Amino acid sequence: MRRVFGAKKNTEPPPSIQDASDRINKRGETVEDKIKKLDVDLCKYREQIQKTRPGPAQQALKARAMRLLKQKKMYEGQRDMLYNQTFNLDQVSFAAEGLKDAQQTMTALKSANKELKGMMKTVQIQDIDNMQDEMMDLMDVSSEIQETLGRSYNVPDGLDEDDLMGELEALEADMGDETEADGVPSYLQPDNQTDYDEISLPSVPMGQTGAPPGRVQAEDEFGLPAVPRASLRG
């Protein structure tokens, strides 16, 4: 049967965008290397032309330099064309990646939408409103219970705050009067020390000693009775 119909050929898968881009980039690098090599050769020919005198030799060098320059222009055109192809492939790759991301986003949104619909079936707005109303009623009842439990006993209802403040001030005034009437302990009283500077003392008589009256006794420089010189000699 294979001889009649032939065997099935194994077809290779088509290259991906990344494979094609890598291949073109390699070709572009090869062309770029050739252009650099031509630049080096052109610099050498330029130096030789400057050193050579005008004549057949210089014309030959210029002809070679012109051929190299034409090759360089050709390679530069190929390089630009390859770079344009790479740019186009990159644009297609970006578009393909964007479409893949959009597909994944749509799949995730569909799955989330399905889950939300299933969850919304178990949650009803009316049930939430009823629960909120019940909670408010319970809070009101709790407040009434707390107010009832916190009510004071044996307190008249018709009390006025101004009257109470007046009674409190009158009570404080009565307590102050009782404190002044009872007196203050001695250790709390201010010190009433005698000011000795204000006490008048009798002045010391000047020039009077134990000598007999009518006889004035000499005094030394300190105001004391002077000692006789005869007693000092003896």
Side-chain angles (χ1 to χ4, degrees), residues 28-43:
E29 292 175 358
T30 302
V31 174
E32 188 69 29
D33 293 337
K34 291 181 179 180
I35 292 173
K36 291 179 180 179
K37 186 177 180 181
L38 289 174
D39 287 335
V40 175
D41 295 338
L42 286 172
C43 290

PDB file of all heavy atoms in Angstrom, residues 28-43:
ATOM      1  N   GLY A  28      21.044  39.938  11.247  1.00  0.00           N
ATOM      2  CA  GLY A  28      21.387  41.347  11.398  1.00  0.00           C
ATOM      3  C   GLY A  28      22.732  41.535  12.099  1.00  0.00           C
ATOM      4  O   GLY A  28      23.506  42.430  11.733  1.00  0.00           O
ATOM      5  N   GLU A  29      23.040  40.706  13.080  1.00  0.00           N
ATOM      6  CA  GLU A  29      24.338  40.800  13.750  1.00  0.00           C
ATOM      7  C   GLU A  29      25.475  40.448  12.795  1.00  0.00           C
ATOM      8  O   GLU A  29      26.543  41.089  12.822  1.00  0.00           O
ATOM      9  CB  GLU A  29      24.349  39.868  14.957  1.00  0.00           C
ATOM     10  CG  GLU A  29      23.418  40.307  16.083  1.00  0.00           C
ATOM     11  CD  GLU A  29      23.371  39.296  17.207  1.00  0.00           C
ATOM     12  OE1 GLU A  29      24.035  38.239  17.069  1.00  0.00           O
ATOM     13  OE2 GLU A  29      22.671  39.551  18.213  1.00  0.00           O
ATOM     14  N   THR A  30      25.251  39.461  11.923  1.00  0.00           N
ATOM     15  CA  THR A  30      26.284  39.093  10.944  1.00  0.00           C
ATOM     16  C   THR A  30      26.560  40.248   9.979  1.00  0.00           C
ATOM     17  O   THR A  30      27.720  40.584   9.679  1.00  0.00           O
ATOM     18  CB  THR A  30      25.840  37.850  10.162  1.00  0.00           C
ATOM     19  OG1 THR A  30      25.594  36.777  11.076  1.00  0.00           O
ATOM     20  CG2 THR A  30      26.916  37.418   9.181  1.00  0.00           C
ATOM     21  N   VAL A  31      25.488  40.867   9.497  1.00  0.00           N
ATOM     22  CA  VAL A  31      25.664  41.999   8.580  1.00  0.00           C
ATOM     23  C   VAL A  31      26.349  43.163   9.292  1.00  0.00           C
ATOM     24  O   VAL A  31      27.195  43.860   8.704  1.00  0.00           O
ATOM     25  CB  VAL A  31      24.287  42.416   8.020  1.00  0.00           C
ATOM     26  CG1 VAL A  31      24.420  43.675   7.180  1.00  0.00           C
ATOM     27  CG2 VAL A  31      23.693  41.292   7.179  1.00  0.00           C
ATOM     28  N   GLU A  32      26.015  43.373  10.561  1.00  0.00           N
ATOM     29  CA  GLU A  32      26.648  44.456  11.325  1.00  0.00           C
ATOM     30  C   GLU A  32      28.152  44.220  11.481  1.00  0.00           C
ATOM     31  O   GLU A  32      28.953  45.171  11.380  1.00  0.00           O
ATOM     32  CB  GLU A  32      25.991  44.555  12.696  1.00  0.00           C
ATOM     33  CG  GLU A  32      26.414  45.747  13.518  1.00  0.00           C
ATOM     34  CD  GLU A  32      25.921  47.068  12.950  1.00  0.00           C
ATOM     35  OE1 GLU A  32      24.866  47.073  12.294  1.00  0.00           O
ATOM     36  OE2 GLU A  32      26.617  48.085  13.167  1.00  0.00           O
ATOM     37  N   ASP A  33      28.559  42.978  11.682  1.00  0.00           N
ATOM     38  CA  ASP A  33      29.991  42.666  11.774  1.00  0.00           C
ATOM     39  C   ASP A  33      30.698  42.957  10.450  1.00  0.00           C
ATOM     40  O   ASP A  33      31.841  43.477  10.430  1.00  0.00           O
ATOM     41  CB  ASP A  33      30.178  41.202  12.156  1.00  0.00           C
ATOM     42  CG  ASP A  33      29.695  40.912  13.572  1.00  0.00           C
ATOM     43  OD1 ASP A  33      29.626  41.867  14.387  1.00  0.00           O
ATOM     44  OD2 ASP A  33      29.373  39.744  13.872  1.00  0.00           O
ATOM     45  N   LYS A  34      30.052  42.636   9.327  1.00  0.00           N
ATOM     46  CA  LYS A  34      30.663  42.909   8.020  1.00  0.00           C
ATOM     47  C   LYS A  34      30.822  44.420   7.806  1.00  0.00           C
ATOM     48  O   LYS A  34      31.840  44.873   7.261  1.00  0.00           O
ATOM     49  CB  LYS A  34      29.805  42.314   6.908  1.00  0.00           C
ATOM     50  CG  LYS A  34      29.821  40.793   6.881  1.00  0.00           C
ATOM     51  CD  LYS A  34      28.961  40.261   5.742  1.00  0.00           C
ATOM     52  CE  LYS A  34      28.999  38.729   5.704  1.00  0.00           C
ATOM     53  NZ  LYS A  34      28.169  38.175   4.604  1.00  0.00           N
ATOM     54  N   ILE A  35      29.845  45.180   8.244  1.00  0.00           N
ATOM     55  CA  ILE A  35      29.944  46.638   8.085  1.00  0.00           C
ATOM     56  C   ILE A  35      31.096  47.194   8.920  1.00  0.00           C
ATOM     57  O   ILE A  35      31.851  48.080   8.467  1.00  0.00           O
ATOM     58  CB  ILE A  35      28.603  47.291   8.485  1.00  0.00           C
ATOM     59  CG1 ILE A  35      27.506  46.916   7.481  1.00  0.00           C
ATOM     60  CG2 ILE A  35      28.736  48.800   8.566  1.00  0.00           C
ATOM     61  CD1 ILE A  35      26.122  47.370   7.892  1.00  0.00           C
ATOM     62  N   LYS A  36      31.299  46.697  10.126  1.00  0.00           N
ATOM     63  CA  LYS A  36      32.416  47.150  10.961  1.00  0.00           C
ATOM     64  C   LYS A  36      33.760  46.812  10.314  1.00  0.00           C
ATOM     65  O   LYS A  36      34.701  47.623  10.343  1.00  0.00           O
ATOM     66  CB  LYS A  36      32.316  46.514  12.342  1.00  0.00           C
ATOM     67  CG  LYS A  36      31.142  47.029  13.172  1.00  0.00           C
ATOM     68  CD  LYS A  36      31.101  46.337  14.528  1.00  0.00           C
ATOM     69  CE  LYS A  36      29.931  46.851  15.361  1.00  0.00           C
ATOM     70  NZ  LYS A  36      29.845  46.177  16.683  1.00  0.00           N
ATOM     71  N   LYS A  37      33.840  45.625   9.716  1.00  0.00           N
ATOM     72  CA  LYS A  37      35.088  45.240   9.051  1.00  0.00           C
ATOM     73  C   LYS A  37      35.364  46.137   7.846  1.00  0.00           C
ATOM     74  O   LYS A  37      36.521  46.547   7.604  1.00  0.00           O
ATOM     75  CB  LYS A  37      34.997  43.780   8.603  1.00  0.00           C
ATOM     76  CG  LYS A  37      36.289  43.242   8.025  1.00  0.00           C
ATOM     77  CD  LYS A  37      36.149  41.760   7.675  1.00  0.00           C
ATOM     78  CE  LYS A  37      37.459  41.217   7.089  1.00  0.00           C
ATOM     79  NZ  LYS A  37      37.345  39.779   6.717  1.00  0.00           N
ATOM     80  N   LEU A  38      34.330  46.491   7.093  1.00  0.00           N
ATOM     81  CA  LEU A  38      34.524  47.389   5.956  1.00  0.00           C
ATOM     82  C   LEU A  38      34.950  48.777   6.423  1.00  0.00           C
ATOM     83  O   LEU A  38      35.746  49.453   5.737  1.00  0.00           O
ATOM     84  CB  LEU A  38      33.223  47.478   5.153  1.00  0.00           C
ATOM     85  CG  LEU A  38      32.845  46.214   4.364  1.00  0.00           C
ATOM     86  CD1 LEU A  38      31.473  46.374   3.729  1.00  0.00           C
ATOM     87  CD2 LEU A  38      33.886  45.893   3.297  1.00  0.00           C
ATOM     88  N   ASP A  39      34.452  49.222   7.558  1.00  0.00           N
ATOM     89  CA  ASP A  39      34.868  50.529   8.087  1.00  0.00           C
ATOM     90  C   ASP A  39      36.358  50.538   8.402  1.00  0.00           C
ATOM     91  O   ASP A  39      37.057  51.536   8.138  1.00  0.00           O
ATOM     92  CB  ASP A  39      34.060  50.859   9.340  1.00  0.00           C
ATOM     93  CG  ASP A  39      32.622  51.225   9.024  1.00  0.00           C
ATOM     94  OD1 ASP A  39      32.369  51.680   7.894  1.00  0.00           O
ATOM     95  OD2 ASP A  39      31.748  51.060   9.913  1.00  0.00           O
ATOM     96  N   VAL A  40      36.863  49.438   8.957  1.00  0.00           N
ATOM     97  CA  VAL A  40      38.290  49.363   9.260  1.00  0.00           C
ATOM     98  C   VAL A  40      39.113  49.407   7.969  1.00  0.00           C
ATOM     99  O   VAL A  40      40.133  50.133   7.874  1.00  0.00           O
ATOM    100  CB  VAL A  40      38.580  48.079  10.055  1.00  0.00           C
ATOM    101  CG1 VAL A  40      40.110  47.915  10.266  1.00  0.00           C
ATOM    102  CG2 VAL A  40      37.871  48.110  11.407  1.00  0.00           C
ATOM    103  N   ASP A  41      38.679  48.660   6.942  1.00  0.00           N
ATOM    104  CA  ASP A  41      39.413  48.673   5.674  1.00  0.00           C
ATOM    105  C   ASP A  41      39.363  50.049   5.016  1.00  0.00           C
ATOM    106  O   ASP A  41      40.364  50.521   4.428  1.00  0.00           O
ATOM    107  CB  ASP A  41      38.831  47.619   4.722  1.00  0.00           C
ATOM    108  CG  ASP A  41      39.032  46.203   5.246  1.00  0.00           C
ATOM    109  OD1 ASP A  41      39.943  46.014   6.083  1.00  0.00           O
ATOM    110  OD2 ASP A  41      38.257  45.308   4.861  1.00  0.00           O
ATOM    111  N   LEU A  42      38.219  50.730   5.091  1.00  0.00           N
ATOM    112  CA  LEU A  42      38.124  52.060   4.500  1.00  0.00           C
ATOM    113  C   LEU A  42      39.046  53.055   5.192  1.00  0.00           C
ATOM    114  O   LEU A  42      39.633  53.937   4.533  1.00  0.00           O
ATOM    115  CB  LEU A  42      36.674  52.548   4.576  1.00  0.00           C
ATOM    116  CG  LEU A  42      35.691  51.889   3.593  1.00  0.00           C
ATOM    117  CD1 LEU A  42      34.258  52.321   3.893  1.00  0.00           C
ATOM    118  CD2 LEU A  42      36.053  52.246   2.154  1.00  0.00           C
ATOM    119  N   CYS A  43      39.207  52.928   6.496  1.00  0.00           N
ATOM    120  CA  CYS A  43      40.136  53.809   7.205  1.00  0.00           C
ATOM    121  C   CYS A  43      41.574  53.570   6.735  1.00  0.00           C
ATOM    122  O   CYS A  43      42.358  54.534   6.571  1.00  0.00           O
ATOM    123  CB  CYS A  43      40.019  53.568   8.697  1.00  0.00           C
ATOM    124  SG  CYS A  43      38.466  54.153   9.424  1.00  0.00           S
TER     125      CYS A  43
END
